[in-house]
């Protein structure tokens, strides 16, 4: 299935792009993260498991256990620092 | 009826006008509380000459409307509004404003603090500071998570 990806802040800078679309069989957000880490050394660094990376599914905060569907928008980003 | 609104904008705002507008034509209101956040010229011991604010268009508005709806459920308030600026800011600039009205002060004080605590940890904004040693992303503070926990809200468990 097709997943639209969005990256923000330090994750976006490390990957070198703010968005991309991938074909995946990953069932959950955590599995998708592991798959993305294989795309390039930059992806592996940006999404490394020792880093605090947050995720959102279709613009709502989610967890690594959240299930994926075809056409979903998934975002990865560092902990937020607004306000 | 409770009036809830959010504005994400690059432009500055006038807090006097915002205060007036928030309680206009609502004579039930006996209290207005607000919080204003501004850009500091020092951060973690370093001089800050400028700041850039990035956000996630779409999710930002959804996350803030969700927290406004929670504030409406938790507190007896008449109106609440959040303004957050994005883009390039300078020390002294206004970043964020939260305003709440209620019949008596207690509910608007509490709702205002709840809203800014929630925004700090849940709304997708990221600050990047310009310092003499170059640009750096601001780190999230554990104390902000603790502040939200006081309201009985658990953060979603995330990888990492």
């Amino acid at each position: 299935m097709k997943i639209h990806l969005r990256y923000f802040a330090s994750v976006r800078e490390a990957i070198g792009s703010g968005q991309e679309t991938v074909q995946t069989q990953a069932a959950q957000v955590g599995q998708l993260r592991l798959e993305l880490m294989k795309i390039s050394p930059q992806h592996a660094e940006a999404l490394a498991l020792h880093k605090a990376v947050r995720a959102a599914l279709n613009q709502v905060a989610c967890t690594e256990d959240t299930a994926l569907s075809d056409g979903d928008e998934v975002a990865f980003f560092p902990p937020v620092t607004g306000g | 009826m409770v009036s809830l609104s959010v504005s994400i904008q690059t432009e500055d705002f006038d807090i006097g006008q915002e205060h007036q507008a928030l309680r206009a034509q609502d004579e039930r209101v006996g209290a207005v509380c607000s919080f204003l956040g501004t850009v500091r010229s020092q951060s973690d011991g370093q001089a800050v000459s400028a700041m850039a604010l990035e956000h996630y268009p779409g999710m930002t508005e959804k996350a803030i409307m969700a927290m406004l709806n929670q504030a409406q459920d938790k507190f007896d308030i008449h109106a609440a509004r959040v303004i957050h600026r994005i883009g390039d800011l300078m020390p002294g600039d206004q970043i964020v404003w939260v305003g709440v009205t209620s019949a008596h002060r207690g509910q608007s004080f509490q709702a205002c603090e709840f809203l800014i605590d929630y925004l700090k940890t849940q709304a997708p904004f990221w600050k990047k500071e310009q310092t003499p040693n170059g640009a750096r992303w601001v780190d999230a503070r554990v104390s902000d998570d603790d502040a939200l926990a006081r309201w009985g809200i658990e953060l979603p468990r995330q990888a990492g």
Side-chain angles (χ1 to χ4, degrees), chain A residues 15-77:
Chain A
I15 287 175
S17 167
Q19 50 191 320
E20 63 185 323
T21 300
V22 296
Q23 288 288 340
T24 179
Q25 297 305 314
Q28 297 170 330
V29 170
Q31 292 169 10
L32 177 64
R33 177 179 177 178
L34 294 173
E35 274 192 18
L36 295 173
M37 287 167 62
K38 295 173 187 162
I39 293 179
S40 75
Q42 289 76 22
H43 285 75
E45 169 68 17
L47 301 171
L49 294 181
H50 66 83
K51 290 197 171 166
V53 173
R54 305 289 185 249
L57 176 74
N58 298 328
Q59 305 187 347
V60 176
C62 71
T63 71
E64 59 184 358
D65 300 329
T66 302
L68 296 172
S69 303
D70 187 33
D72 278 344
E73 176 176 304
V74 177
F76 291 99
F77 44 79

Side-chain angles (χ1 to χ4, degrees), chain B residues 9-12 37-39 48-53 84-96 127-128 130:
Chain B
Q9 59 191 54
T10 52
E11 309 82 50
D12 200 5
T38 59
V39 181
V48 174
S49 57
M51 174 181 283
L53 259 153
H84 204 299
R85 293 178 71 191
I86 52 172
D88 295 327
L89 300 172
M90 304 294 286
D93 281 352
Q94 304 186 132
I95 306 175
V96 58
K127 288 175 180 161
K128 193 175 196 181
Q130 289 290 342

Side-chain angles (χ1 to χ4, degrees), chain A residues 9 12-13 62 73 78 81 83, chain B residues 54 56 125-128 158:
Chain A
R12 171 180 56 76
E13 284 187 350
C62 71
E73 176 176 304
T81 56
Chain B
E54 179 172 337
Y56 182 175
F125 293 101
W126 300 274
K127 288 175 180 161
K128 193 175 196 181
Q158 302 264 356

